[in-house]
Amino acid sequence: MKTIIEPFRIKTTEPIKIISRDERIKALEQAHNNVFLIDAEDCCIDLLTDSGTGAMSTQQWAAMMLGDESYAGSRSWKHFEHTVREITGIKHILPTHQGRAAEAILAQTLIKKGDIIPNNSHFDTTRANIEYVGGVAMNLLCAEGTDTTLDAPFKGDMDIDKLKACIQTHGVEKIPFCMVTVTNNTGGGQPVSLANIRAIKSVLEPHGIPLIIDACRFAENAYFIHEREKGYKGKALTQIAKEMFSYADGATMSCKKDGLANIGGFLICNNDQWAEKFRNLLIIREGFPTYGGLAGRDLEAIAVGLKEALEYDYQVYRQATVRYLSSRLEEAGVPIVKPGGGHAVFLDAKRMLPHIDPLQYPGIGVVNALYVEGGVRGVELGSVMFGSFDESGEELPSPLELVRLAFPRRVYTQSHFDYLIEVIKEVWKNKDSISGYKITYQTQFLRHFTCHFEPV
Ligand SMILES: *Cc1c(COP(=O)(O)O)cnc(C)c1O
């Protein structure tokens, strides 16, 4: 088999600034050892997130020039609406400026205080929007999904028995809808099988509980189904996506992911009453229902991007990148979460740095070492981001200490990844010299963005 190449060539370039090791040490110090506070320009390979960081195609840029900026009923809106309906088959389509805006409208119209919203794993903005209106966000991930060393095809699946138990315990009237996140971002970007989505639907349907898909990475999930689920090899990704959405009563979407755009989102549903409620709030929060906080040119870029994300060659290349990095790291013995996710590879900082106590944040140790070694920016998903406090104010560690290396779409080439592999191997070699950290400043909410660290 020949090398899987990037299925594009580069027409516009953006220079990467490579600063010296000494300059990086200084930049990290000035940022109080928190890579969120470092200037993007000082990061040579920026893997902080795959959200809105992708490169657009010539077709997308050309479509942007066709943007119709009319306030109501623009041509670009028609293009967007037609495309989303073609892909999902869902009736009502509301554009929003991001995924979280769609979540906010969904939560504020349908959730009452004390309601329970099951999901495989809630993404942090989804959870925040549910909790903000007094709901309870419940994670019902399958047992396989929590074992970082296990290589299984669909570690994003929901535990169906837990879903049944949840309905039994809390009662149908407490559950206005159920969600499923494809792929499961907070659970390592692991896919959800169609068999699981079908099973979820068959549990919900007799109770009349609607199913909402958190669809941010629906195209990556469709690719995994194509590769890993029996009976889908011969199908186009568009057919698989259509089947996924056929079990849903609605969906929320961040077009910064599989919309291959830098901004945008949508909220869709089949229920006419819901649509009316959503629209009322959309007009106050986001804008008129035919633009929803987006410029006409954004709607055009998304309409093209959604289709490109479903191109088979694109997904083959994207997942080859994930596999390339994860297999090289496994060969080198670097502990990672298995298998690689749809949009990221996760280093297991707890197994990498067993000499560091979880409350001295091994994930931050790894993140900062990657930055000093090669200007690589990753993100800690561990006790800093997910840690909590008990009633007496005692800090509790997170069950996992991970470092996520998220892949912007169509941005980095194989040589960038070869460089990344060299950097990680070097950090791994010198792991014993990495120290833990303590927090010297933090805010009450979402502390990871702004807190200050000092080495211990
Ligand atoms: C990114 C993301 C969101 C929120 O989307 P934004 O556009 O960042 O507001 C919701 N759910 C999942 C699974 C995501 O990855």
Side-chain angles (χ1 to χ4, degrees), residues 98-100 103 123 125 181 185 214 216-217 254 256-257:
Q98 273 191 241
R100 69 196 65 188
E103 293 166 350
F123 182 65
T125 59
T181 307
N185 186 358
D214 180 339
C216 299
R217 295 178 184 77
S254 169
K256 304 175 74 168
K257 284 62 172 266

Side-chain angles (χ1 to χ4, degrees), residues 49-51 97-103 121-126 181-186 214-217 252-257 263-265 343 404:
T49 175
D50 66 319
S51 178
H97 83 280
Q98 273 191 241
R100 69 196 65 188
E103 293 166 350
S121 307
H122 287 275
F123 182 65
D124 54 8
T125 59
T126 321
T181 307
V182 301
T183 59
N184 189 24
N185 186 358
T186 28
D214 180 339
C216 299
R217 295 178 184 77
T252 55
M253 174 73 187
S254 169
C255 297
K256 304 175 74 168
K257 284 62 172 266
I263 197 75
H343 65 292
R404 186 185 71 187

